[in-house]
Amino acid sequence: MKWGVSRLIAEAKATPIVIPFWHIGMHNILPTRSPYIPQLFQRLTVFIGEPLDFSSWLDAHRTAQTSAVVIRRQLTEKLQDIMADLKLQAEVLHKDWNTKWPVSYRML
């Protein structure tokens, strides 16, 4: 992961709440090759993680006068770990999903 998202978070005037999510199956619904016609009734899994608030973490690093580069790198590593966990959870849900309807939802 590049540090663009981390930089947006770190340099925002008001620290945003980040909603991480991972999706599997979108390539089956919206093909990346011609013809670009949406395919209905394909399996799609979207796993939405808990909202993330980095305010206190960023405040602590700013108070300690940590360099912007170090903040971005550490924040990127934190986000990478969170996204890797979301990916694993989404893959389990996608693989284990048993339903008669290809388009469904389930609340966890």
Side-chain angles (χ1 to χ4, degrees):
M1 177 183 286
K2 295 186 179 182
W3 65 14
V5 172
S6 298
R7 186 172 182 179
L8 288 171
I9 295 168
E11 295 180 4
K13 291 182 181 181
T15 305
I17 301 296
V18 178
I19 309 292
F21 69 94
W22 192 272
H23 62 81
I24 300 172
M26 187 62 78
H27 63 282
N28 294 325
I29 295 170
L30 295 172
T32 56
R33 288 177 276 176
S34 184
Y36 302 107
I37 300 170
Q39 304 298 306
L40 302 178
F41 304 109
Q42 299 296 314
R43 187 192 309 185
L44 173 65
T45 300
V46 179
F47 193 86
I48 302 171
E50 294 293 321
L52 305 171
D53 185 0
F54 293 106
S55 300
S56 58
W57 185 86
L58 284 169
D59 290 343
H61 282 281
R62 289 177 182 140
T63 301
Q65 296 182 340
T66 306
S67 75
V69 172
V70 171
I71 289 174
R72 287 193 302 256
R73 184 175 59 235
Q74 290 179 357
L75 190 53
T76 299
E77 289 170 1
K78 288 172 86 58
L79 288 169
Q80 283 177 328
D81 292 342
I82 291 165
M83 295 305 292
D85 186 47
L86 284 179
K87 178 183 178 188
L88 291 175
Q89 293 178 63
E91 287 173 342
V92 168
L93 281 177
H94 191 75
K95 181 178 139 188
D96 293 343
W97 189 258
N98 292 318
T99 182
K100 293 180 181 178
W101 288 94
V103 180
S104 302
Y105 71 92
R106 175 172 64 174
M107 299 300 291
L108 298 178

